[in-house]
Amino acid sequence: MTSMPEHKTLAVIGSYADAADPGLYLCEYDAASGSLRQLQAISGLQNPTFAAIDGDKLTVYAISEQTDPSGQRKGYLSAFRLDPVQAQLSLINKEESLPAPTCHVELDRAGRCLIVSSYHGGLLGLSPVLEDGSVGPSADQHRHEGKSVHPAQSQARVHSVFVDRTNRWAVASDLGLDKVFVYKLDTERYRLELHQEVSVAPGSGPRHFVFHPSLPYGYVIHELNGTITAFGFDEERGELTALQTVSTLPEGFDGENGCADIHISPDGRFLYGSNRGHDSLAVYAISAETGELSLVEIVSTLGGHPRNFALSPDGRHVLVANRDGNHIVTFRRDEASGRLSPAGIELTVSKPVCIQFVTLLTSH
């Protein structure tokens, strides 16, 4: 008999932490229950809040920050080797990424470069990935200028960059400017070239963006006004066109809220966005014909400040990082309706911010 390949799904969790304390965690995901089992906790990084994973090259990249002798906070990238058998991370190297603390990192689809974002610096930067998986010195940086109408928008605030499926375009969401920028990505020369600027409603504060996995649409979640904007995306021309804006909040809610994260189910049928303050996930059905969203439900995240969340690779579960609840809560996902129900499972983690999954082939 021929043995079937064995797969292992792991999750990397980033958090707010002092360098002396654990801040980056490696866990194993159980597809049957949706639970996470902690395998490793890594200290030595100040606020390793976001990570990116290259499953093919078995490397994990995490952002962090350090303060230099002059008192300036700087962003750093650390590369880790992932042992698929032992399921352990080991440090390869650490390299400065931007002259300001960073809040997000994106690995391009070819695994050649890392794009980091700085909310406090209004910057985005590109660092090459070297042959051994290590991070090279920063190769390109862009600073946005300006402001908008909200008190939090006194300057440019780049919150994230996401790369499209063709690996030709990178979309940067600038919360401070109420703009979404499309950059042309050149992975050979390690360059980003500004291609398009799209303005959104004043005071909305675009934060995270997601491309539809198969259709010509993209979606941005706005932190400041509790909305999501749907775009048509022409991947040949690299152009976004606004289609629709919807609320993430129930009618009549007038409390404090700040949206955070946004994801689409693996089958492309449903979109999820998180509310911090209302502490919920908003669930929408996606029209394949128009790209427009229709609300399915709004569900409590069973904890405070759901900063980020992730859909499991099999699409069966949604795991929510409740930063102020100090836990990750698992929800079962009905793949037909998109609806969520609590699985009754939690993992205690101090101030979790980011969850990234990777599925590895462990034997042939």
Side-chain angles (χ1 to χ4, degrees), residues 153 173 175 178 180 199-210 218-231 244-250 253 257-262 271-276 278 282 284 293 295 298:
Q153 298 175 311
S173 298
L175 182 149
D178 286 322
V180 178
S199 294
V200 294
S204 54
R207 179 184 171 102
H208 277 198
F209 189 96
V210 63
Y219 303 85
V220 68
I221 192 163
H222 302 293
E223 176 174 329
L224 301 178
N225 73 349
T227 63
I228 293 171
T229 297
F231 293 94
Q244 176 201 32
T245 297
V246 298
S247 174
T248 64
L249 293 164
F253 177 79
N257 187 69
C259 290
D261 201 13
I262 186 168
L271 181 144
Y272 300 79
S274 66
N275 289 304
R276 300 170 298 170
H278 189 254
Y284 307 85
L293 304 175
L295 183 66
I298 299 175

Side-chain angles (χ1 to χ4, degrees), residues 128-301:
V129 174
L130 306 183
E131 285 296 320
D132 62 354
S134 62
V135 182
S138 178
D140 194 19
Q141 297 181 9
H142 296 261
R143 183 183 297 276
H144 291 175
E145 300 287 350
K147 60 182 181 178
S148 193
V149 299
H150 190 279
Q153 298 175 311
S154 59
Q155 64 167 75
R157 298 197 182 279
V158 183
H159 218 306
S160 65
V161 178
F162 289 90
V163 175
D164 85 314
R165 62 179 181 172
T166 71
N167 212 42
R168 294 173 58 206
W169 311 106
V171 169
S173 298
D174 195 313
L175 182 149
L177 303 185
D178 286 322
K179 288 184 177 181
V180 178
F181 296 78
V182 181
Y183 283 87
K184 188 170 185 179
L185 174 61
D186 185 339
T187 60
E188 298 297 321
R189 298 190 304 125
Y190 301 117
R191 289 290 181 269
L192 290 163
E193 178 186 338
L194 183 59
H195 180 75
Q196 184 193 25
E197 295 182 27
V198 180
S199 294
V200 294
S204 54
R207 179 184 171 102
H208 277 198
F209 189 96
V210 63
F211 287 99
H212 194 281
S214 59
L215 299 174
Y217 309 125
Y219 303 85
V220 68
I221 192 163
H222 302 293
E223 176 174 329
L224 301 178
N225 73 349
T227 63
I228 293 171
T229 297
F231 293 94
F233 180 63
D234 185 329
E235 62 186 28
E236 287 302 314
R237 299 166 63 91
E239 292 182 358
L240 292 168
T241 305
L243 303 173
Q244 176 201 32
T245 297
V246 298
S247 174
T248 64
L249 293 164
E251 198 170 334
F253 177 79
D254 61 358
E256 294 270 331
N257 187 69
C259 290
D261 201 13
I262 186 168
H263 293 286
I264 293 176
S265 58
D267 62 10
R269 295 178 59 217
F270 298 97
L271 181 144
Y272 300 79
S274 66
N275 289 304
R276 300 170 298 170
H278 189 254
D279 295 338
S280 61
L281 290 187
V283 184
Y284 307 85
I286 300 172
S287 167
E289 288 74 31
T290 67
E292 292 189 349
L293 304 175
S294 55
L295 183 66
V296 174
E297 64 174 351
I298 299 175
V299 182
S300 169
T301 56

